[in-house]
Every structure is written in C-alpha cells, then in structure tokens.
Amino acid sequence: EINNQGKTANVLSNTGFIKGKTMRNYLENVNILKYFDFQIFSDEVNISKPNSKIFDLMISKIKGNIQLSEIIHIGDNKIADYDSAIEYGINAYLIDYDK
C-alpha cells in the first residue's frame, strides 16, 4: 500500500548484535524484503546512528526529489533514532516499548 501511494519504505538499522546479512535473510524468509526499496545496516557500511553520515547515505539512496520534511524515521532508541533524526532535519517517531 505504501508503494501504491508513491511512497517508499526502507530499513536503516544499527546492527550491533545481529549482522545485516542475517537481517536481510530474515526479511526475505518472512517474505517482506520485497517491500523495502533499500536496506542500510551499520555493520555493512561501518557507520552507525547517531552519526549523521548514515543519514547522508540514506538520502543518497532515496529515489526522486524528496524533501527532508517528507521523511519519517521510526526507531526505539531515543539518542540513535529519535534525537539524531530530528537533529538531521527529518521527522522521527520513537517507539516506546514500556507502554
């Protein structure tokens, strides 16, 4: 449905405990990898959030002319996901597992 609306979904993940290759294999095995235009895993690019260079890499992979204000980064780590995305200039949503 996201793609039908002319939007994209992508994965940008710090992979401290699970390798990007393992995550990619899992997404393929559960038959959802095809829904993501690209995946960036920190162990594969040697950059991790909150380093802004990983967001630069993400922006370089986005197809079309997208404004930063049109992007939302969803994550579960306040510093790595939420604060760094906001500081970079993109929208962010923090998943709170305690609720």
Side-chain angles (χ1 to χ4, degrees):
E1 182 60 33
I2 290 172
N3 289 332
N4 289 339
Q5 294 178 21
K7 299 174 184 173
T8 66
N10 311 290
V11 176
L12 171 60
S13 180
N14 284 353
T15 49
F17 301 107
I18 301 173
K19 300 269 186 215
K21 181 178 178 180
T22 302
M23 288 297 300
R24 196 172 285 105
N25 286 339
Y26 174 76
L27 295 171
E28 181 68 37
N29 287 337
V30 296
N31 202 32
I32 63 171
L33 184 64
K34 62 187 173 190
Y35 297 113
F36 299 104
D37 284 0
F38 62 84
Q39 308 85 46
I40 299 172
F41 298 107
S42 63
D43 68 298
E44 296 175 350
V45 297
N46 296 316
I47 310 167
S48 60
K49 299 170 285 178
N51 188 327
S52 64
K53 290 181 181 179
I54 200 162
F55 290 109
D56 291 340
L57 180 59
M58 176 192 73
I59 296 300
S60 75
K61 292 187 174 286
I62 295 175
K63 298 173 186 170
N65 187 15
I66 302 291
Q67 302 298 313
L68 293 180
S69 63
E70 298 176 283
I71 299 170
I72 184 166
H73 180 75
I74 301 169
D76 62 356
N77 183 291
K78 182 170 183 334
I79 295 168
D81 293 312
Y82 185 83
D83 293 345
S84 64
I86 295 295
E87 185 175 312
Y88 191 83
I90 62 178
N91 297 298
Y93 181 83
L94 182 64
I95 297 170
D96 185 357
Y97 291 111
D98 293 333
K99 292 186 179 185

